[in-house]
Amino acid sequence: MPTERITFQGHGGDTLAARLDLPEGPHLATALFAHCFTCGKDIPAARRIAARLAAMGIAVLRFDFTGLGHSEGEFANTTFTSNVADLKAASAYLESRGMAPSLLIGHSLGGAAVLRAAPEIASAKAVVTIGAPFDPGHVTHNFGEALDEIAAKGKAEVLLGGRPITLGQEFVEDVRAETLGPIIANMKRALLVLHAPRDEIVDISNATQIFTAAKHPKSFVTLDDADHLVTDPSDAEYAAEVITAWAGRYLKLTPPAPPIGAPEGVVRVKEADPNGFLQDIQNGPYHHAVADEPLAYGGTNRGMSPYGFVAAGLGACTSMTIRMYARRKGWPLEGIAVDVTHDKVHAQDAETAKDTRVDRFKRRICFEGNLTQDQITRLLEIADKCPVHRTLEKGARIETELALCPEMLKEVGEG
């Protein structure tokens, strides 16, 4: 996905660093992502979710809060309220570019922040929280004995995530004073709550409280064995899949007209895991799948193989073609099932003269309904008229050309 490195002014005038992940195709909507407490915009979960949304046509802005990552300012001087103000500043920046966010996503304390900010971001239609606390003050349990030092000295250094962070008394007082229940109840936005039952940082009871406080439409999905930071790539991928599938229902994405000569639009396949064979497959903003190879062939078996997709296309087209014919004839066909297998056989076995191996697709078709034998025979004949069947039998011409992706264009420009 193309990514812009940008900056904008935060709540206190400091320059905040951000990444704007853009769709490679048409831009259909925009999301704003708020990272977890003391994390940053580049955590794996944020990157994966942004990539999946971008493939769906949704641009994603993820930024470092004041005093964190590459953003300016002193974190010790920030509060939960200032984080919310940074979110609103990010939203205003996007709106100034004609990209007002319709989807807000927040991880951990960032989830609490998007819940707090949502009613004040007019363009927001849907909100997603990941491992978010119902009570923002919950975060203070991570400070341990440092709370006494903060109270006595006004600030203290706390070890969080293996690195020292300086926190001020104002942050502690502000986060403890925040009450989200009434805000969630009156948010008037669609809500998706994602949380792991084994989250050791923010107990899943927080998710229950958020969900209970919210009014419909709302959804609650567990992340199974994921940790609080969703560090496992498969967990991040699952969260991304759930968010994209859910968001499409509330953002009312309107895809542009397909390219001339391609009535079904463009199918884009993009590598998802350079260490294996996992591929993202996107056809417009609504249809997504993943392709992979079995474990025995070096894949992770998280999607159908390429030949599996070819077999699926043949089976689907066969069933559709039969249904269209039976519907037109008014025949009592109640159901269709098509099993397709693929293997390679010697050409002579396929009744050709060539001494080579060819691909063989074998179909087993089952009909449900009170059909006569003549009707069944005719429907089997119609199966052979399926367009995909004809394409596979006749073969196709494949034309390949080089497309310069953004990184290649950058290298060409620098050269």
Side-chain angles (χ1 to χ4, degrees):
M1 60 185 172
T3 298
E4 289 185 22
R5 295 186 179 185
I6 62 173
T7 59
F8 63 93
Q9 195 172 74
H11 75 282
D14 295 305
T15 298
L16 304 188
R19 292 182 185 272
L20 181 60
D21 300 310
L22 298 164
E24 294 186 84
H27 171 226
L28 307 180
T30 304
L32 178 56
F33 189 101
H35 62 71
C36 55
F37 182 57
T38 75
C39 295
K41 64 184 180 300
D42 298 317
I43 61 172
R47 293 200 306 269
R48 186 60 190 136
I49 290 169
R52 184 82 291 285
L53 287 170
M56 190 179 177
I58 302 173
V60 182
L61 178 70
R62 44 194 173 102
F63 70 97
D64 292 326
F65 283 110
T66 298
L68 291 173
H70 297 94
S71 291
E72 295 180 349
E74 293 293 330
F75 183 74
N77 297 328
T78 65
T79 64
F80 179 74
T81 299
S82 72
N83 286 348
V84 173
D86 280 346
L87 272 171
K88 292 191 288 184
S91 175
Y93 168 79
L94 288 170
E95 188 172 4
S96 72
R97 292 188 51 168
M99 304 171 67
S102 52
L103 175 63
L104 306 180
I105 306 171
H107 184 191
S108 191
L109 193 62
V114 297
L115 289 170
R116 177 66 180 81
E120 300 177 51
I121 298 178
S123 59
K125 296 182 175 63
V127 176
V128 178
T129 64
I130 306 170
F134 176 71
D135 174 13
H138 175 278
V139 73
T140 61
H141 85 277
N142 294 303
F143 305 164
E145 297 178 358
L147 285 173
D148 292 335
E149 185 178 352
I150 293 173
K153 299 180 180 180
K155 62 176 61 176
E157 191 174 88
V158 180
L159 194 65
L160 294 173
R163 60 194 180 101
I165 296 291
T166 300
L167 292 170
Q169 180 63 18
E170 187 177 359
F171 178 91
V172 175
E173 293 176 353
D174 181 63
V175 79
R176 283 175 169 172
E178 192 65 53
T179 302
L180 292 180
I183 294 171
I184 296 171
N186 296 289
M187 189 169 59
K188 298 180 180 178
R189 306 289 193 275
L191 175 65
L192 170 62
V193 178
L194 298 176
H195 214 111
R198 298 183 182 180
D199 190 328
E200 296 180 352
I201 306 300
V202 180
D203 188 86
I204 195 170
S205 61
N206 287 269
T208 302
Q209 290 175 288
I210 292 172
F211 185 79
T212 302
K215 293 183 173 63
H216 286 289
K218 58 182 178 178
S219 303
F220 186 177
V221 177
T222 61
L223 296 180
D224 298 329
D225 295 328
D227 59 18
H228 182 66
L229 295 181
V230 198
T231 52
D232 189 308
S234 62
D235 292 329
E237 170 66 22
Y238 176 69
E241 287 291 323
V242 171
I243 292 171
T244 50
W246 176 86
R249 185 176 186 88
Y250 300 104
L251 301 191
K252 298 180 180 179
L253 306 177
T254 303
I260 296 174
E264 296 182 9
V266 175
V267 175
R268 171 169 281 122
V269 179
K270 193 170 181 64
E271 187 177 58
D273 181 7
N275 296 318
F277 296 111
L278 186 67
Q279 308 290 319
D280 270 328
I281 303 173
Q282 192 75 32
N283 181 206
Y286 300 117
H287 308 301
H288 172 256
V290 291
D292 204 343
E293 288 286 2
L295 295 172
Y297 291 95
T300 54
N301 201 33
R302 289 159 64 186
M304 287 197 299
S305 71
Y307 276 116
F309 277 99
V310 176
L314 174 60
C317 184
T318 299
S319 181
M320 292 175 184
T321 302
I322 291 171
R323 172 54 65 193
M324 288 174 62
Y325 186 84
R327 184 180 296 145
R328 188 168 63 247
K329 289 291 188 179
W331 290 353
L333 177 61
E334 296 177 3
I336 310 165
V338 183
D339 293 341
V340 181
T341 57
H342 165 261
D343 61 356
K344 290 181 180 291
V345 298
H346 284 291
Q348 54 264 36
D349 294 338
E351 298 181 355
T352 71
K354 297 180 181 179
D355 186 21
T356 59
R357 296 180 72 84
V358 299
D359 291 279
R360 178 177 65 185
F361 290 90
K362 185 174 182 179
R363 288 181 303 197
R364 291 174 58 88
I365 305 174
C366 175
F367 300 126
E368 297 178 16
N370 188 23
L371 299 168
T372 66
Q373 186 57 50
D374 287 344
Q375 290 172 332
I376 292 173
T377 300
R378 180 56 180 159
L379 291 178
L380 289 175
E381 293 173 353
I382 291 299
D384 290 341
K385 299 184 182 298
C386 150
V388 173
H389 179 125
R390 290 180 170 180
T391 296
L392 290 173
E393 277 196 330
K394 293 180 180 179
R397 186 176 69 181
I398 300 173
E399 300 175 354
T400 303
E401 61 182 25
L402 176 65
L404 294 179
C405 63
E407 287 303 313
M408 291 177 67
L409 288 172
K410 180 181 178 182
E411 292 176 6
V412 171
E414 292 174 348

